[in-house]
Amino acid sequence: GAVVSQHPSWVICKSGTSVKIECRSLDFQATTMFWYRQFPKQSLMLMATSNEGSKATYEQGVEKDKFLINHASLTLSTLTVTSAHPEDSSFYICSARDRGAPPNQPQHFGDGTRLSIL
Amino acid sequence: DAKTTQPTSMDCAEGRAANLPCNHSTISGNEYVYWYRQIHSQGPQYIIHGLKNNETNEMASLIITEDRKSSTLILPHATLRDTAVYYCIVRPYNAGNMLTFGGGTRLMVKP
């Protein structure tokens, strides 16, 4: 089945550091990938939609200069949290759908990246 | 997207069927019902989806009422590993793939 891989799975870093998270579709191509954020005991909140070869679309309230998204190929999207601070600590999850599949086919999710900023 | 309503939490005995309800009374004709689950500290896992017919796969069954205003996800023989948060989501056929997650149902399978 369709597999989405996220890396790293866990990262701890100092305040002010920039952190890059990768999301890869391993056995399919994805023109669109999605980035979610999840705080403890809360549901997933969509942050942005990553579009291959074009600019990402950000949800209201998400700072595009803070969360840089690059979708340079059909199998890779990256999320960079710039100058991270403790309030950016969260569980970041990406998802993707096979571009060759019908629109009603489901998205597949990565296993998430737990980011802890000290 | 149509809004869904799910119970906050449910318990189920191991080996018994787990029936998780979802209300989506404002669902439109072209909206599908999707079920995902999230085991602690993991990404959501796709379970099943349907439009109006009942569906079954190796993981679960999805029962959609005739008026499509509600559905039930059935795990026929729940195991401890089925303990998770279950999300019911409705999405139009050509919605651009975005999924909107609600609060979900926290299912606790007990020995």
Side-chain angles (χ1 to χ4, degrees):
Chain A
V3 177
V4 174
S5 174
Q6 253 183 271
H7 178 80
S9 56
W10 195 301
V11 59
I12 302 173
C13 58
K14 294 180 180 179
S15 184
T17 305
S18 292
V19 179
K20 180 186 286 187
I21 303 169
E22 293 186 347
C23 179
R24 294 181 185 273
S25 55
L26 297 186
D27 53 358
F28 64 95
Q29 294 182 330
T31 51
T32 303
M33 293 184 176
F34 300 89
W35 287 96
Y36 295 82
R37 180 168 54 182
Q38 186 176 33
F39 292 107
K41 299 190 184 301
Q42 295 186 22
S43 189
L44 283 76
M45 294 297 295
L46 180 68
M47 297 175 65
T49 301
S50 171
N51 303 298
E52 187 268 335
S54 64
K55 291 182 179 179
T57 304
Y58 292 82
E59 295 300 299
Q60 190 172 8
V62 178
E63 300 175 56
K64 61 181 181 181
D65 294 331
K66 173 78 171 177
F67 299 98
L68 301 180
I69 291 174
N70 183 279
H71 193 155
S73 78
L74 290 171
T75 60
L76 174 64
S77 175
T78 60
L79 168 69
T80 301
V81 183
T82 62
S83 187
H85 292 285
E87 59 266 27
D88 298 321
S89 298
S90 188
F91 192 48
Y92 292 86
I93 308 166
C94 71
S95 72
R97 191 184 67 80
D98 186 343
R99 71 166 184 165
N104 66 323
Q105 290 303 297
Q107 289 180 36
H108 297 276
F109 287 79
D111 272 339
T113 297
R114 188 160 301 281
L115 175 63
S116 296
I117 308 298
L118 304 178
Chain B
D1 294 355
K3 182 178 178 179
T4 63
T5 304
Q6 299 177 253
T8 304
S9 63
M10 291 180 63
D11 289 345
C12 177
E14 187 179 19
R16 306 296 291 268
N19 297 285
L20 292 94
C22 179
N23 283 320
H24 31 79
S25 58
T26 59
I27 194 170
S28 300
N30 68 341
E31 289 186 310
Y32 282 73
V33 180
Y34 294 80
W35 282 85
Y36 285 79
R37 72 180 182 183
Q38 186 177 26
I39 296 170
H40 183 62
S41 295
Q42 297 182 22
Q45 176 189 23
Y46 165 76
I47 301 173
I48 199 167
H49 74 285
L51 182 62
K52 56 183 179 180
N53 296 324
N54 297 336
E55 303 287 345
T56 295
N57 62 21
E58 65 278 4
M59 290 183 69
S61 294
L62 174 60
I63 308 298
I64 303 174
T65 57
E66 193 170 342
D67 63 9
R68 302 207 324 121
K69 293 185 177 182
S70 66
S71 60
T72 300
L73 178 74
I74 301 174
L75 307 179
H77 305 287
T79 70
L80 299 180
R81 288 179 294 181
D82 292 322
T83 293
V85 178
Y86 288 77
Y87 296 99
C88 168
I89 301 168
V90 294
R91 186 180 69 82
Y93 180 79
N94 280 319
N97 306 310
M98 186 184 76
L99 295 175
T100 301
F101 286 80
T105 296
R106 186 172 297 277
L107 176 69
M108 179 72 73
V109 180
K110 298 184 174 180

